[in-house]
Amino acid sequence: MIRRRPFWVALVLTLAVSLSILPVARAIGDSGALPPTAIRITPPAPAFDNAKRLDELAARRKHVAETIGPKATAVFFSADPRVYTNDVDYPFRQENNLFYLTNLNQKRATLIVMPGNPSLPEVLFLPRRSPAAETWTGHMYSPQEVAQLSGIKEIWEASEFEPFINALRKHEVYRPINPDNILLSKAGSSASNANASDSLIDAASKNEATLYLLANFPREGESHEYRQEQRFAANWTKDTGFTIQNAAPIFAAMRLRKSPMETEILQHAIDISIEAHERAQAFAAQAKWEYEVDAQIAYTFKLRNADNWGYPDIVGCGPNATTLHYEEVQDPVKQGQLLLMDVGAEYGHYSADVTRTFPVNGKFSKEQAEIYQIVYDAQEAVARVAKPGGSLSTNHNAATDVIKDGLLRLGLITDRNSDQYRIWFMHGTGHWLGMNVHDVGGGARFEPGMTFTNEPGIYIRLDALDNLPKTSDNEKFIAAVKPAFEKYRGLGVRIEDDMVITPEGVRWMTGALPRSIADIEAFIARARRELK
């Protein structure tokens, strides 16, 4: 049994070492110029014209309004805070679609969209600032800050939400009794502060109104993310005149195609991830434990002001690289083995997703290189077919053809036209990327602005042959591939890059991170010389 040091002790010790070995940023000399270093420093974060940013948010809300129409309303809740333990919360992260419409990271904020009410097409319910609460948990948005961040000009105190909704259920017009609860209003007139238009109330009275929420209905069991919506929907019985509809498909269609601003934000998350990968690769030869390598990732994410990771880091050495979601990060780092790192930063609510597999000692062995090259070639095949009109399925088929050929050539399968390859390559070749690391999109065809991952892999798990069903065909297969299995057992390789569809084809958003065998070996050699 391996004795494990507490995580914070390992992190502090590792960061102390890493801070002392970072490359020198400026050479001594008269010119004062910054010489290029092996490790690519993250470029500055993107900055946007505020008016253009607000215009984009307003256009998103307008699109939702036009999609649902005047006989409908939509309610978007903020994320439900989660408890880590007892009175300690997880860091708050806003629900993606509410953030997409508002750029607000405020708890208990609720947006209502009412296309049929020209005087009140949207209203945001916001907790009133509380000096007592801010003493404990920090700054809360003022109505003016909300307007500056989101462009929403009609803001009511959160306590008005329930009476507002109760009136809507009864097909009644509602105005806040207490004018102080109208925190901000673009009209400045009580006549405008009505919750529903004649078209919406008339539709509800005829059982023709629609209420859009972010969840699938009906649904068995309780949603992990959308419990509020499910419980809220339960109170809208047939006699309210409203039919519940899922708003998620509206956002799936919108979020698939990234605007130039979104692409820049995602690129910055990727750039942070590239620097983190390179720092970890440069440091790995000095590490004794996987968590020491992972500490380089955590340090870089904090150093470059990432919001968080987009998913828990995967840093697996040797056979651990064959576990797809290996998150323990507690085992030794050994010379002569491959180390797989699947880590991506989140910035501005957009997540990178990047994987590299590299030799700890800086040089691929013959066997490691043979497996790696197949995966590399599969990635290249994806890049050749990825273009407008293509799909994730097209990508996967292109990668699979290359991997089948490679596995057959190495003796790890005996039949290219069977599913034998699934023993060694058991996942898809990519997924949509954006606000979720596995983002919305389904089976859509590629269009310019869509972003996705390109991530084939081969995993020669130590127990893969032992777990096959005991059949005569499998016994023959095992006997045939056993020599190759013994040669490559314990090797796991995944290469994952982030890509955006262009009118001409595809662009590698992770193109600055070394990927080929020669480039990885050259980068590691140079970076480690600089660290010394």
Side-chain angles (χ1 to χ4, degrees):
M1 179 176 179
I2 298 172
R3 181 176 177 83
R4 297 175 176 176
R5 290 181 290 182
F7 172 75
W8 68 267
V9 173
L11 181 61
V12 169
L13 290 175
T14 305
L15 291 186
V17 173
S18 67
L19 285 171
S20 69
I21 63 170
L22 295 178
V24 176
R26 187 180 296 274
I28 299 174
D30 296 331
S31 68
L34 290 173
T37 59
I39 294 174
R40 179 179 184 266
I41 303 303
T42 303
F48 305 111
D49 178 84
N50 196 52
K52 291 181 180 179
R53 185 185 61 79
L54 292 177
D55 285 346
E56 186 162 313
L57 290 173
R60 294 173 186 173
R61 297 195 296 272
K62 181 182 178 183
H63 181 82
V64 170
E66 290 174 344
T67 302
I68 68 176
K71 294 182 179 181
T73 186
V75 179
F76 303 109
F77 294 102
S78 65
D80 215 356
R82 303 291 193 220
V83 175
Y84 173 72
T85 178
N86 193 25
D87 60 351
V88 178
D89 293 336
Y90 281 103
F92 180 74
R93 184 187 185 278
Q94 187 61 278
E95 195 279 323
N96 279 333
N97 300 296
L98 180 59
F99 189 87
Y100 184 75
L101 297 178
T102 67
N103 202 39
L104 300 176
N105 206 39
Q106 174 73 60
K107 299 177 185 177
R108 293 182 58 224
T110 305
L111 175 66
I112 294 185
V113 177
M114 296 173 292
N117 189 344
S119 63
L120 195 71
E122 58 190 18
V123 58
L124 183 80
F125 294 87
L126 185 75
R128 192 187 300 272
R129 291 186 66 185
S130 165
E134 291 188 29
T135 298
W136 288 93
T137 57
H139 180 71
M140 300 170 64
Y141 291 139
S142 70
Q144 292 74 24
E145 288 171 322
V146 167
Q148 184 178 19
L149 285 168
S150 69
I152 297 172
K153 298 299 196 302
E154 194 74 35
I155 303 170
W156 296 3
E157 210 279 327
S159 62
E160 294 291 338
F161 177 73
E162 283 301 325
F164 180 104
I165 290 298
N166 290 335
L168 191 59
R169 286 196 188 99
K170 298 174 183 177
H171 312 161
E172 296 174 354
V173 170
Y174 175 80
R175 298 181 181 88
I177 298 174
N178 182 357
D180 289 341
N181 283 345
I182 301 176
L183 305 180
L184 189 69
S185 177
K186 63 180 179 180
S189 167
S190 61
S192 71
N193 295 324
N195 71 312
S197 65
D198 291 340
S199 60
L200 182 60
I201 289 178
D202 182 59
S205 67
K206 298 177 182 178
N207 293 321
E208 296 175 354
T210 306
L211 171 63
Y212 282 86
L213 298 168
L214 282 165
N216 289 316
F217 305 102
R219 178 191 175 106
E220 292 185 8
E222 195 167 63
S223 168
H224 294 298
E225 188 171 2
Y226 294 108
R227 291 179 294 186
Q228 293 179 96
E229 287 78 2
Q230 286 181 314
R231 295 169 183 176
F232 183 73
N235 294 322
W236 291 77
T237 54
K238 291 183 178 180
D239 59 1
T240 64
F242 284 82
T243 300
I244 306 295
Q245 287 290 332
N246 184 12
I250 299 172
F251 289 96
M254 293 173 67
R255 285 168 45 192
L256 250 178
R257 290 171 293 278
K258 307 298 186 292
S259 71
M261 288 188 191
E262 290 180 276
T263 305
E264 283 192 57
I265 294 170
L266 177 56
Q267 184 65 64
H268 191 62
I270 291 169
D271 289 338
I272 295 172
S273 306
I274 289 172
E275 182 179 349
H277 271 272
E278 292 190 340
R279 287 182 182 273
Q281 289 182 27
F283 176 77
Q286 304 179 38
K288 291 183 173 60
W289 301 95
E290 292 165 339
Y291 56 75
E292 294 179 282
V293 181
D294 191 30
Q296 297 291 315
I297 307 297
Y299 165 72
T300 308
F301 285 3
K302 285 293 185 183
L303 180 69
R304 302 306 176 202
N305 198 32
D307 301 338
N308 204 340
W309 39 247
Y311 50 94
D313 298 348
I314 298 169
V315 180
C317 190
N320 290 337
T322 67
T323 298
L324 302 185
H325 287 174
Y326 172 74
E327 296 173 5
E328 286 80 3
V329 193
Q330 291 288 328
D331 280 350
V333 171
K334 296 181 180 179
Q335 298 293 322
Q337 292 188 332
L338 292 178
L339 197 153
L340 185 152
M341 295 196 315
D342 187 341
V343 296
E346 180 179 285
Y347 181 85
H349 246 69
Y350 288 79
S351 176
D353 190 2
V354 187
T355 306
R356 286 295 182 268
T357 308
F358 63 94
V360 174
N361 64 10
K363 287 287 185 181
F364 287 89
S365 70
K366 178 177 180 294
E367 292 75 20
Q368 292 167 352
E370 287 172 339
I371 296 292
Y372 190 96
Q373 191 62 46
I374 296 171
V375 178
Y376 179 92
D377 291 342
Q379 269 202 313
E380 291 289 299
V382 168
R384 287 192 293 272
V385 301
K387 58 187 176 181
S391 68
L392 294 177
S393 294
T394 306
N395 289 0
H396 181 66
N397 292 338
T400 299
D401 283 342
V402 173
I403 287 179
K404 284 180 177 180
D405 288 340
L407 292 174
L408 185 64
R409 185 172 64 252
L410 297 186
L412 286 164
I413 61 174
T414 61
D415 183 0
R416 188 194 182 284
N417 298 317
S418 72
D419 285 339
Q420 291 176 359
Y421 78 97
R422 299 289 292 171
I423 300 171
W424 317 116
F425 176 37
M426 64 290 295
H427 59 76
T429 306
H431 51 78
W432 301 113
L433 186 68
M435 301 184 88
N436 290 329
V437 67
H438 296 133
D439 209 28
V440 296
R445 290 285 176 177
F446 288 154
E447 296 178 22
M450 294 182 177
T451 51
F452 63 94
T453 65
N454 177 2
E455 53 170 317
I458 295 176
Y459 314 90
I460 316 300
R461 291 185 61 79
L462 297 175
D463 59 356
L465 298 182
D466 298 335
N467 292 328
L468 292 177
K470 305 301 181 184
T471 67
S472 59
D473 285 344
N474 281 342
E475 288 178 2
K476 294 176 183 176
F477 170 77
I478 292 170
V481 303
K482 194 66 178 289
F485 172 75
E486 293 298 332
K487 184 178 180 181
Y488 300 107
R489 68 195 304 269
L491 295 182
V493 172
R494 180 165 66 255
I495 318 172
E496 180 177 19
D497 284 84
D498 302 339
M499 314 187 88
V500 58
I501 294 293
T502 68
E504 297 76 26
V506 72
R507 177 170 65 84
W508 297 74
M509 300 181 77
T510 41
L513 184 59
R515 187 172 60 93
S516 70
I517 290 174
D519 286 348
I520 287 175
E521 290 182 344
F523 165 77
I524 290 175
R526 181 184 172 195
R528 290 177 182 175
R529 284 197 305 269
E530 290 177 357
L531 293 185
K532 291 179 181 179

